[in-house]
């Protein structure tokens, strides 16, 4: 019998076709939300939710797109691809958003500051699979100032307080503060944020609130709402005022960067490439010498390496430096050729390394790092003396005593300004073979008799302010006028000032006192830059006013040189 094989083959083909057709018509609704990709609702897809005030708001979700660093031309493209926080419409967000839109210059400055750090931050954000918006958190915390310091003793880009920094492995000692280490603190901060999110079952808004005011404070507020049968989302909690603004501020910033064209924000071109390379230097190295080996301006070098408190890297480590990528290979070659004995000036190790770092020393070190300016091609000055500053002294009197210059002392001690405090230990440069470098004032002190000048006291003057204007000590000012430091300075009364250089008297008359009212959003650093003075001088002039921190409405006394631009 002849068998026809074509008939069963045709039947099999028809059966396969019917099965395939049936599968293609299976309703998509049969998939549960949990089985699908992370919820991604389009621009027109949203649902209502009850906000903290009972008003109905709109909540949108963005999908967390898979991102690869190599697939994006700029850090902004990469940043936006990692966004995954819910888009919330809330008046608290609108208020923060409007403030930034009214101050566009602040966002331009922040972009410039962020450029060296964003690529590294995004690497850590992506590695830990956390929302890309959190890469912008340093804007809220520190305005991307790597050595920012708060009245709560928080420090660095991510504003770690000492105890939390130690908990996440950030060393803090007299030589080094890991909270200001850009590389280490970013790793610690992303670990901390990841841990906080897990504590709140993946609720990133509660995690952010905890980062600001502490996990315990947020949990207590949640428990309080649970006892009252109230919602326990971030928007419904009773939290400190700062925390109530903190999360909306980040969401507002993220929204502006996500809609830069709509808000007329110019995104500066920052390539999606590493800005720095982490280089193992294996042993201590003088920071100025390191900057020279890297062919990098000193101020730019310190912005990458702000964690060190002294003039060289820490003896016990970490033995690493962040070097701009374009100079990293040259730095390695130059370092390999540098004799080991020339890596550091051994005098810097004479101080007791076992002493714990003091709060004021940390604060001064951070201000110094923030204000220091690059001086190219400076010689290394040998140190022969160490001197502890006494009450009422200034650099002018110390320089005169040791027959050296103010600039030499500042250079040797890496001082950002001419201000010193009582108890500070200075390294005094040797004057050997330096006679030709002394200024005319120092050379003529012994040969020219002192002349007198009269100064009329102005409202707001103090012994310290006047002595700073004329490079003398308050004690000398009191002795010359046969008064004590407790004598009231009455406006209009004239004081005798002894000078040795007519040019000094001329320049001092250009200094004037103004009063500045602190505005919302002001910071000590911002005000100091505005008037072209140092943070240290500003703090010293307003020590009593700033004892509890800077607040809007405060009146600050500011000494400025009317001949210089501000």
């Amino acid at each position: 019998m002849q068998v026809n094989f074509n008939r069963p083959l045709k039947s099999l083909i028809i059966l396969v076709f019917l099965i395939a057709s049936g599968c293609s018509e299976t309703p998509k609704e049969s998939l549960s939300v949990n089985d699908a990709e992370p919820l991604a609702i389009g621009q027109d897809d949203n649902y209502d939710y009850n906000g903290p005030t009972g008003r109905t708001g709109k909540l949108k979700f963005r999908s967390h797109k898979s991102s690869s660093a190599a697939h994006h031309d700029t850090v902004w493209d990469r940043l936006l691809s990692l966004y995954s926080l819910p888009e919330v419409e809330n008046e608290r967000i609108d208020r923060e958003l409007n403030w930034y839109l009214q101050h566009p210059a602040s966002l331009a400055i922040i972009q410039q500051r962020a450029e060296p750090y964003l690529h590294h931050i995004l690497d850590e954000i992506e590695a830990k699979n956390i929302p890309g918006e959190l890469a912008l958190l340093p804007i809220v915390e520190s305005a991307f100032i790597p050595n920012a310091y708060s009245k709560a003793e928080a420090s660095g880009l991510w504003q770690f307080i000492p105890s939390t920094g130690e908990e996440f492995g950030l060393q803090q000692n007299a030589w080094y503060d890991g909270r200001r280490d850009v590389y280490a603190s970013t790793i610690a901060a992303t670990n901390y944020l990841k841990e906080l999110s897990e504590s709140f079952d993946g609720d990133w808004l509660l995690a952010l609130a905890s980062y600001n005011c502490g996990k315990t404070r947020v949990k207590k507020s949640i428990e309080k709402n649970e006892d009252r049968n109230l919602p326990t989302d971030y928007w419904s909690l009773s939290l400190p005022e700062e925390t109530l603004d903190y999360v909306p501020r980040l969401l507002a910033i993220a929204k502006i960067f996500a809609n830069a064209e709509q808000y007329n924000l110019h995104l500066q071109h920052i390539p999606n490439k590493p800005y720095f390379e982490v280089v193992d230097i294996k042993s201590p190295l003088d920071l100025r010498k390191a900057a020279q080996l890297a062919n990098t301006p000193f101020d730019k070098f310190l912005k990458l390496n702000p964690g060190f408190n002294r003039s060289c890297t820490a003896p016990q480590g970490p033995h690493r430096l962040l070097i701009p990528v374009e100079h990293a290979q040259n730095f390695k070659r130059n370092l390999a050729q540098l004799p080991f004995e020339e890596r550091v000036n051994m005098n810097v190790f004479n101080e007791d390394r076992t002493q714990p770092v003091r709060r004021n020393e940390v604060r001064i070190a951070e201000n110094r790092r923030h204000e220091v300016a690059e001086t190219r091609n400076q010689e290394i000055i040998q140190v022969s003396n160490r001197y502890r500053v006494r009450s009422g002294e200034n650099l002018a009197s110390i320089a005169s005593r040791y027959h050296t210059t103010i600039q030499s002392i500042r250079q040797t001690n890496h001082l950002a300004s001419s201000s010193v405090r009582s108890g500070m230990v200075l390294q005094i440069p040797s004057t050997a073979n330096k006679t030709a470098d002394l200024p005319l004032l120092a050379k003529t002190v012994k040969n020219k008799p002192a002349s007198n000048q009269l100064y009329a006291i102005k409202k707001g003057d103090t012994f310290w302010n006047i002595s700073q204007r004329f490079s003398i000590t308050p004690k000398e000012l009191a002795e010359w006028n046969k008064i004590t430091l407790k004598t009231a300075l009455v406006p209009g009364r004239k004081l005798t000032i002894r000078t040795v250089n007519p040019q000094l008297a001329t320049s001092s008359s250009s200094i004037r006192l103004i009063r500045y009212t602190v505005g919302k959003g002001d910071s000590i650093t911002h005000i100091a830059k505005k008037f072209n003075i140092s943070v240290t001088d500003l703090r010293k002039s307003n020590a009593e006013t700033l004892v509890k921190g800077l607040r809007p409405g405060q009146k600050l006394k500011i000494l400025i040189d009317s001949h210089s631009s501000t």
Side-chain angles (χ1 to χ4, degrees), residues 136-150:
L136 300 172
L137 193 58
I139 298 178
V140 181
E141 288 288 351
S142 62
F144 270 107
I145 298 173
N147 47 15
Y149 193 89
S150 78

Side-chain angles (χ1 to χ4, degrees), residues 453-463 465-466 469-470 488-495 508-515 557 559:
Q453 176 192 0
L454 294 180
Y455 172 77
I457 299 173
K458 298 179 178 60
K459 186 177 179 181
D461 273 346
T462 65
F463 280 98
N465 290 343
I466 298 173
R469 297 182 191 186
F470 294 97
L489 297 180
V490 181
R493 178 178 175 179
K494 295 185 178 180
L495 298 177
S508 65
S509 63
S510 67
I511 297 177
R512 61 191 180 92
L513 173 70
I514 67 172
R515 293 189 177 273
K557 294 181 290 186
L559 288 172

